[in-house]
Amino acid sequence: MSATTAGAAPAAKAPRVETPFRRFVSEFFESKIATGALVVLVAIVLVAIFAPLISPQNPYDLAQLDIMDGRLEPGSRNGDDTMTYWLGTDDQGRDMLSGIMYGLRISLIVGAGSAIAAAVVGASLGMLAAYAGGRTDTIIMRLVDLQLSFPTILSALMILAFLGKGIMNVVIALIVVEWAYYARTVRGTALVERRREYIEAAQCLALPTRRIIFRHLLPNCMPPLIVVGTIQIARAIALEATLSFLGLGVPITEPSLGLLIANGYEYMLSGKYWISFYPGIALLITIVSINLVGDHLRDVLNPRLKK
C-alpha cells in the first residue's frame, strides 16, 4: 500500500479561477508604456506624501530660507563635493528640489480633491437625469450645456476673481467647471443600463429607487466614470497650474508647481532658467503619466476598443 502510494503521481492542481479583477490587471500590465507611466505616477505620489521626510528643506519655513546669500543660485556643491542645492534656488532662497516636492503635494491635492468632488456631484446629477427622465433630465442637461458652453479657464478665472485666492477656493472653482463632464458621461451610460433586464427586474420587485440607483445602476457606470476621472485629474492639475501662474491660484506661502513656474518667469531672459524649467518638467511628467494611465484604462475598460 505504501509502495503504491509512494509511486502514485501527485494530484493535479486546480485550475486558477480567472476573476474580472485578475483579467483587468493582466490586460493593463500588457502595455509597457502604461506600466511605466503607472510606476512613475506612484513614485510621484510617494514623493509628494513623504516630502516632509525626504526633502532637504521645508520651503514653507521662513527660518530655513537664505534670502540674502542663497537666492538665485544654480545647482552648486560644497567643498566636500556634496550637492547643496541639486536644482538651485529661486528668488526667495528656496531650494527648488524641496519646492517641487512640496509643490507636487499641493497640485495633487487640488487635482485629485476637485476631481473626486466633481465626480460625486456630476455622477449624482447624471444618474438622476437618466433615471428620472422628463423635465428633470431636460433641466439638468441644459445646465450641463450651459456650463460646457463657457471656456473652462474663463469660468475658473471669474469664480476666483469673486472668491479670491486660496486652495479651497481653487478646488471650488475646479468643481464648478468640471462637474458637467461627469454628468454627461454618466447620463449616457446610465441611459443604456436603464434599459437592461436587471433594472426592469428590480423595478418589478418594487425596490426603492435609491437602492436601484446606488446598488445596481451606479456600479455599472463606474468604468467610464473611472476613465473620465483619471483624465480630469490631469486636467485639473494643469488648470490649477495655469490659474496659479496667472496669480489667482494658491497663495504664495504654499506654492504649487504653477506658482513655482510663475516665480521664475521674469528671470528666464537673464539666464536663470532653472527656476521655471524644473517645476515645468515635473508638471509635464505628472500630467503625461496620468494621461497615459487614463488612456490605457479607457482601452481596457471599454470592450469596443479592444483589438
Side-chain angles (χ1 to χ4, degrees):
M1 185 69 177
S2 59
T4 304
T5 304
K13 293 183 179 179
R16 185 178 182 181
V17 179
E18 185 71 11
T19 63
F21 177 74
R22 288 177 176 173
R23 189 182 307 114
F24 165 77
V25 173
S26 176
E27 292 178 358
F28 182 87
F29 286 104
E30 285 180 356
S31 172
K32 295 181 179 179
I33 296 178
T35 302
L38 181 61
V39 171
V40 172
L41 182 58
V42 170
I44 290 173
V45 173
L46 291 177
V47 168
I49 292 175
F50 297 104
L53 300 178
I54 62 178
S55 62
Q57 179 192 79
N58 182 357
Y60 303 154
D61 186 2
L62 297 180
Q64 298 186 28
L65 304 184
D66 189 0
I67 301 178
M68 300 301 297
D69 298 326
R71 60 192 299 269
L72 300 176
E73 290 188 3
S76 58
R77 296 179 181 273
N78 286 328
D80 57 355
D81 201 35
T82 60
M83 186 69 74
T84 303
Y85 302 113
W86 288 93
L87 303 182
T89 60
D90 62 5
D91 58 340
Q92 301 295 323
R94 183 187 295 113
D95 175 38
M96 291 306 304
L97 178 60
S98 302
I100 291 173
M101 290 181 179
Y102 277 81
L104 282 171
R105 302 182 80 192
I106 302 298
S107 297
L108 291 176
I109 289 173
V110 172
S114 63
I116 292 173
V120 172
V121 175
S124 300
L125 292 176
M127 282 190 296
L128 177 62
Y131 192 82
R135 182 176 298 178
T136 302
D137 183 22
T138 301
I139 293 174
I140 293 176
M141 294 316 297
R142 294 297 77 76
L143 290 175
V144 170
D145 294 338
L146 180 63
Q147 174 63 50
L148 296 178
S149 65
F150 286 95
T152 302
I153 185 65
L154 179 60
S155 300
L157 286 173
M158 292 174 59
I159 295 171
L160 287 176
F162 176 76
L163 297 178
K165 294 182 180 181
I167 294 178
M168 185 55 63
N169 292 341
V170 174
V171 172
I172 293 173
L174 293 180
I175 293 172
V176 173
V177 300
E178 284 185 340
W179 71 271
Y181 296 95
Y182 297 97
R184 186 172 62 177
T185 301
V186 171
R187 175 184 176 272
T189 306
L191 283 176
V192 176
E193 295 296 328
R194 186 178 174 226
R195 301 185 182 96
R196 304 286 187 184
E197 291 78 3
Y198 68 92
I199 296 295
E200 295 179 358
Q203 292 173 339
C204 292
L205 293 174
L207 295 179
T209 302
R210 181 181 302 177
R211 183 175 179 181
I212 294 176
I213 292 177
F214 290 100
R215 293 287 299 274
H216 300 282
L217 192 58
L218 178 60
N220 290 282
C221 296
M222 288 304 294
L225 187 61
I226 292 173
V227 173
V228 172
T230 305
I231 302 299
Q232 287 301 112
I233 289 176
R235 189 168 180 267
I237 292 175
L239 184 56
E240 181 277 324
T242 303
L243 294 172
S244 296
F245 183 85
L246 295 175
L248 289 175
V250 298
I252 194 172
T253 55
E254 297 180 352
S256 65
L257 294 179
L259 191 57
L260 291 176
I261 296 173
N263 290 340
Y265 182 73
E266 60 180 303
Y267 298 101
M268 292 288 289
L269 295 179
S270 60
K272 299 176 176 58
Y273 65 92
W274 60 87
I275 305 176
S276 294
F277 178 75
Y278 293 124
I281 292 297
L283 179 64
L284 177 64
I285 293 175
T286 302
I287 293 175
V288 169
S289 61
I290 295 176
N291 280 328
L292 288 175
V293 172
D295 186 65
H296 191 59
L297 277 176
R298 181 196 63 185
D299 296 341
V300 173
L301 294 177
N302 191 345
R304 295 180 180 179
L305 297 178
K306 294 180 182 179
K307 295 181 180 181

